[in-house]
Amino acid sequence: MTPGCLELDDLDPTRVTRILEHAQHWKEQPSTLPRVLEGFGVAALFQKPSARTRSSVEMAVATLGGHPIYIRPEEVDLDVREPVEDVARTLASYVRIISARVFSHHTLERMAAAVDVPVVNLLSDAGHPVQALADLLTLRERFGSVEGRRLAYVGDGNNVAASLAFAAAMSGLELVVASPPGYELDQQVVDRARNLGAVVDLVSDPYDAVRGADAVYTDTWTSMGQEQERELRLRAFDGWTIDAALMKLGAPDAVFMHCLPAHRGEEVAAEVIDGPQSVVWEQTENRMHSVRALFVELVEAP
Ligand code: CP
Ligand code: NVA
């Protein structure tokens, strides 16, 4: 097993800083990109849909000189056609990095245990670390440094919120999470992030979270795989929409963030996500720059 990135705490603060600095540098000066994947492949296996992740990974690999192999779920049919471990071993004999979007985080752990190439989490039920890297890059671009900046995450304590807690641990960003009862961020995630030095506060009122915050973040109330809970969740999150009135409580230069896909009128009002405080398109663009720098880090400094 080679260290990859199942969650951001598989890296360390020095490596995360280096990834973000490289991402910024190569974004500004693409002609200096190292073609470290020349002659190599990167597998990108998806059990769930994607607009941003698949495309950003493919372009990251291509611009590093490598060949991305996109694998549809029905093609390999994990644990039905053959065991996860056998799929991972097969891919590892062709590619330099395996990346995957899966339902169960345990699938990624099984892949990582079976192979000696890095495995990268492109979203699981537990986390979305490549999104959190792009979010850190977006905040650095906006504020210069994220150290001591306060990010209020309002909504479901889901995979995206979990990776933001580890992003806090790796960067000095302060996180406050507000969720309705029953949808809080997992206590084990909070403890793990705090043990790594993160400031993570949990509150039950979105107004308490957003007051004075430098960034306000939300995500869908119904994640991929939870579609049968949608009606229940719509009721549980009633009143939790981020609207202009809530945004007004943030710092005067506060930004609005969302990993996308977004549901206007549910977790966020159109006036906010399409308004002047929104940085969602910077986040989207930064997905490619940050995952590219992550791949370079995993290949050059494993
Ligand atoms: N934010 C994100 O991961 O988007 P996709 O699901 O479209 O890849
Ligand atoms: N929490 C969402 C994120 C989508 C990018 C999901 O898992 O569906």
Side-chain angles (χ1 to χ4, degrees):
M1 176 168 158
T2 302
C5 183
L6 300 198
E7 189 41 87
L8 285 183
D9 60 346
D10 286 338
L11 306 168
D12 59 41
T14 307
R15 298 186 79 190
V16 169
T17 302
R18 186 162 58 217
I19 289 166
L20 296 173
E21 283 171 353
H22 278 156
Q24 188 68 52
H25 177 70
W26 294 323
K27 179 177 180 177
E28 287 161 8
Q29 296 182 47
S31 64
T32 63
L33 262 174
R35 293 183 62 87
V36 296
L37 290 177
E38 196 88 61
F40 294 107
V42 173
L45 191 159
F46 284 75
Q47 286 188 310
K48 303 180 187 180
S50 167
R52 282 145 287 274
T53 307
R54 174 190 173 176
S55 307
S56 58
V57 163
E58 288 206 20
M59 287 313 299
V61 173
T63 53
L64 292 172
H67 176 70
I69 305 175
Y70 170 65
I71 303 160
R72 288 175 291 116
E74 62 271 28
E75 225 169 351
V76 285
D77 217 0
L78 293 177
D79 280 336
V80 177
R81 189 165 183 265
E82 60 187 319
V84 166
E85 287 79 2
D86 288 2
V87 173
R89 286 182 196 114
T90 301
L91 295 174
S93 66
Y94 310 132
V95 303
R96 189 65 185 76
I97 296 172
I98 296 175
S99 62
R101 166 168 287 194
V102 296
F103 284 99
S104 166
H105 193 73
H106 187 50
T107 302
L108 291 170
E109 293 170 338
R110 288 173 58 197
M111 284 182 172
V115 299
D116 57 8
V117 299
V119 175
V120 174
N121 178 3
L122 299 181
L123 184 147
S124 70
D125 56 345
H128 197 0
V130 290
Q131 177 68 49
L133 269 183
D135 300 336
L136 285 178
L137 181 59
T138 305
L139 289 167
R140 273 174 63 108
E141 280 183 321
R142 181 57 64 129
F143 295 117
S145 157
V146 301
E147 184 112 38
R149 291 282 178 175
R150 200 153 170 84
L151 184 147
Y153 178 95
V154 176
D156 190 19
N158 61 13
N159 46 6
V160 168
S163 287
L164 286 171
F166 294 110
M170 294 298 122
S171 68
L173 178 71
E174 295 180 8
L175 179 67
V176 53
V177 182
S179 311
Y183 295 93
E184 294 94 348
L185 186 54
D186 186 81
Q187 192 58 46
Q188 284 183 1
V189 167
V190 175
D191 292 344
R192 210 169 100 201
R194 283 181 181 157
N195 283 339
L196 290 162
V199 173
V200 182
D201 296 331
L202 303 183
V203 298
S204 53
D205 181 344
Y207 284 79
D208 288 340
V210 171
R211 205 165 283 118
D214 299 295
V216 181
Y217 200 124
T218 193
D219 183 18
T220 183
W221 294 333
T222 306
S223 285
M224 292 180 277
Q226 299 173 333
E227 290 77 8
Q228 74 290 352
E229 296 174 28
R230 181 172 153 76
E231 292 308 316
L232 181 73
R233 286 171 168 270
L234 280 176
R235 284 196 294 277
F237 286 91
D238 187 31
W240 283 74
T241 305
I242 296 189
D243 57 16
L246 188 58
M247 284 301 294
K248 276 207 177 75
L249 289 183
D253 61 347
V255 294
F256 170 76
M257 304 179 80
H258 193 309
C259 56
L260 306 181
H263 309 84
R264 290 167 176 78
E266 293 184 20
E267 73 270 12
V268 61
E271 62 188 353
V272 172
I273 192 167
D274 300 321
Q277 288 174 286
S278 176
V279 292
V280 299
W281 301 114
E282 285 93 321
Q283 289 174 268
T284 298
E285 183 187 344
N286 283 334
R287 291 294 306 274
M288 201 274 288
H289 299 292
S290 51
V291 82
R292 184 161 68 188
L294 172 65
F295 287 157
V296 174
E297 176 73 21
L298 294 178
V299 169
E300 298 236 294

